[in-house]
Amino acid sequence: MDIPNRPRPTRDPSRHAAPQVFDYLRERIIALELPPGTLISRTELQELFGFSSTPVRDALLKLQEESLVDIFPQHATMVSPIDLRLARQAHFLRRSIEQEALRTLTLMEERAAVVQQLEAVIDVQAALLARGDLPGFEKADREFHRIFFETAGVPDLWKMTRRYSGHIDRIRRLHLPMPGKALQVIEDHRAIVAGIASGDVAAAQGALREHLSKSLAFTPDLRARWPDYFRD
């Protein structure tokens, strides 16, 4: 297991050990720093964090629950391929919930402050894109969508959708560097915010539906480029 250009993780004494290992690995799996097929060494993780085998095992079991790793007992642990069936289900779940969150937000009388907050995130994305910082751009993208759930009063549903998002997020991460994709994300976000600002639920939801569907629709092209990354 080799993660290039990554500093040694800092142990946080205020947190339990297993969630630290889980978050570290999940982030790198989603970012494709650990691509499908990568072997994960429990011994290396123990040495990297200075933890015992138990929290490392627990973190890997939790990743297995999200189908992000395949564990072969007494043999190996490997980053799982992108599962298209799970990606489609995650897309369906997020689209369904996020459209309702967006509806609630768009119908709020006092939504001007939220519009300003969303526009500020878009400005950050534009600056990050200009610097070529795609990891930062992706983080800002998540913040843009998280605001919908937070403002609608359902922040726990954002956490739930994130738990199921591992496979669709990897598809989006593959898609993001494609020419014009990041700029299209910014344009989509602006269209969503325009619908919110005008109080037009249909326009806001329509822009969101189109926005969320693009990476999944582009999957055949991605699969042609990286056939070993996918399974049906």
Side-chain angles (χ1 to χ4, degrees), residues 5-111:
N5 302 319
R6 279 290 179 181
R8 185 182 184 91
T10 301
R11 291 177 58 171
D12 184 349
S14 68
R15 300 179 66 203
H16 291 298
Q20 295 183 59
V21 180
F22 171 81
D23 289 344
Y24 180 84
L25 288 174
R26 191 181 194 279
E27 178 184 343
R28 281 143 190 82
I29 290 171
I30 299 303
L32 299 172
E33 293 173 8
L34 294 174
T38 301
L39 290 173
I40 296 178
S41 168
R42 299 189 184 202
T43 302
E44 286 184 28
L45 287 171
Q46 289 173 232
E47 294 174 353
L48 186 65
F49 281 91
F51 293 148
S52 68
S53 62
T54 300
V56 170
R57 179 202 63 200
D58 292 346
L60 292 174
L61 287 173
K62 189 174 180 182
L63 287 166
Q64 184 184 42
E65 289 176 4
E66 295 190 12
S67 298
L68 292 176
V69 301
D70 294 321
I71 298 176
F72 304 96
Q74 310 303 321
H75 178 58
T77 299
M78 184 181 298
V79 177
S80 68
I82 298 169
D83 189 311
L84 292 177
R85 180 183 62 86
L86 294 177
R88 294 186 190 103
Q89 290 187 48
H91 172 260
F92 184 91
L93 176 68
R94 180 173 168 185
R95 182 186 62 190
S96 301
I97 297 176
E98 193 161 338
Q99 284 196 113
E100 286 306 306
L102 187 59
R103 175 184 178 85
T104 299
L105 168 57
T106 304
L107 292 176
M108 291 173 57
E109 292 185 6
E110 299 179 359
R111 60 182 180 276

Side-chain angles (χ1 to χ4, degrees), residues 81 222-231:
L222 298 173
R223 192 172 187 180
R225 290 171 180 255
W226 294 281
D228 294 338
Y229 279 18
F230 292 85
R231 69 179 170 206

